Amino acid sequence: MIGKVIISVFSTILSLALTGGVVIVFLVFWEETPLPNAWNPRTSLRVQDPITSITGFKFSRALRNGAACTIALKSAGSYVELPTKTDGELCGIKDHILLSGIGNMYVKPVNTRCQTALRVAMWTEHVIQPAAQRNLNTSVIETHHFSSYNCREIRAVNNSGTKRMSTHATAEAIDIQGFSFADDTRTTLLEHWGDGSAKSKFLKEVRDGACDWFRVTLSPEYNSLHADHFHLQHTGWGLCR
Ligand SMILES: [Zn+2]
């Protein structure tokens, strides 16, 4: 008797799972699927879409090559595509773009790699703007940066070279020094990072959130070289400080 009940429960679960699987396959592969973009693994990443459990998959796919990256960036970024920049053996920019904005936020035109810009776009949409609303009741209209591309070695605190090239040498990083808001105020890391104000709270949330969208995030808490900017990197090994 108990055996029969177990078999019937098991077969019910199995048939529900199979039906569910068929429905999911149908929803994903049907051309006119009612699945929203944020849940559809076949469509490209759209920066403004809400975060779902497949955003990470779509984001990684968009970062994999220049063509996929520019398609995704088109949903939010203002930019022009430029030819690959080659600058000696160690420097240059692949998937080269000139970025000038993300949504309504102006960015002083910056030569960078599409992947770096796409990470900035996701960070802007899902971290910076919500943090500005939450903490300061306004929105960010400009991000101030210290550029992305710079053919140089990694700097050391004692000002000596390190003989290792910086990720800036391939525009796989960008340095952000502050933000301007729609209410005509602005913030910089140098002014507000440690002063305990609402702007300081905003900056700390923005740093914490950057760790979700960049492989490496360095802030004033990392070392004195980063007292006035966030160093945000497309490549690297998960440093978040
Ligand atoms: Zn940097």
Side-chain angles (χ1 to χ4, degrees):
M1 183 60 187
I2 291 174
K4 269 190 184 165
V5 171
I6 291 173
I7 288 170
S8 112
V9 168
F10 182 73
S11 61
T12 307
I13 291 172
L14 191 67
S15 66
L16 280 175
L18 280 173
T19 314
V22 169
V23 169
I24 287 170
V25 169
F26 178 72
L27 281 174
V28 168
F29 289 96
W30 181 32
E31 282 306 319
E32 285 150 53
T33 179
L35 263 188
N37 195 67
W39 283 100
N40 188 344
R42 292 178 72 208
T43 56
S44 64
L45 177 82
R46 201 160 53 199
V47 170
Q48 303 87 338
D49 281 344
I51 303 298
T52 67
S53 43
I54 66 162
T55 305
F57 161 76
K58 296 180 74 151
F59 185 48
S60 317
R61 189 178 54 193
L63 292 171
R64 227 171 279 153
N65 66 63
C69 182
T70 47
I71 288 170
L73 188 60
K74 215 162 268 171
S75 63
S78 306
Y79 66 91
V80 285
E81 288 180 55
L82 295 172
T84 299
K85 180 182 177 72
T86 314
D87 200 355
E89 244 173 73
L90 301 173
C91 300
I93 311 178
K94 273 199 270 182
D95 308 320
H96 186 188
I97 64 160
L98 184 72
L99 178 72
S100 56
I102 290 160
N104 296 325
M105 185 187 81
Y106 175 72
V107 178
K108 190 177 79 185
V110 57
N111 291 80
T112 190
R113 189 171 176 178
C114 180
Q115 287 83 343
T116 308
L118 185 58
R119 288 183 183 278
V120 172
M122 293 300 275
W123 178 49
T124 301
E125 176 73 26
H126 300 287
V127 178
I128 296 176
Q129 297 295 11
Q133 286 300 338
R134 216 170 24 246
N135 292 291
L136 306 164
N137 204 20
T138 184
S139 60
V140 172
I141 55 163
E142 182 174 355
T143 284
H144 303 280
H145 62 83
F146 289 142
S147 92
S148 168
Y149 177 71
N150 189 349
C151 183
R152 64 165 172 83
E153 291 174 2
I154 296 173
R155 278 191 292 256
V157 179
N158 63 10
N159 235 346
S160 63
T162 55
K163 301 281 172 257
R164 279 191 301 138
M165 293 310 283
S166 160
T167 42
H168 286 289
T170 43
E172 282 163 325
I174 187 163
D175 292 339
I176 304 291
Q177 59 144 331
F179 305 92
S180 288
F181 302 103
D183 64 4
D184 246 4
T185 63
R186 59 179 277 169
T187 182
T188 60
L189 274 68
L190 217 45
E191 269 176 287
H192 296 120
W193 178 259
D195 72 358
S197 64
K199 283 181 175 150
S200 162
K201 195 159 175 270
F202 162 78
L203 290 172
K204 284 181 179 160
E205 279 188 28
V206 155
R207 187 274 313 269
D208 293 348
C211 300
D212 293 336
W213 299 107
F214 291 88
R215 300 282 285 275
V216 170
T217 298
L218 305 178
S219 74
E221 282 167 20
Y222 180 65
N223 65 19
S224 57
L225 290 175
H226 297 83
D228 62 353
H229 69 276
F230 296 131
H231 169 90
L232 307 167
Q233 231 174 268
H234 160 54
T235 51
W237 302 100
L239 251 179
C240 168
R241 240 158 83 194

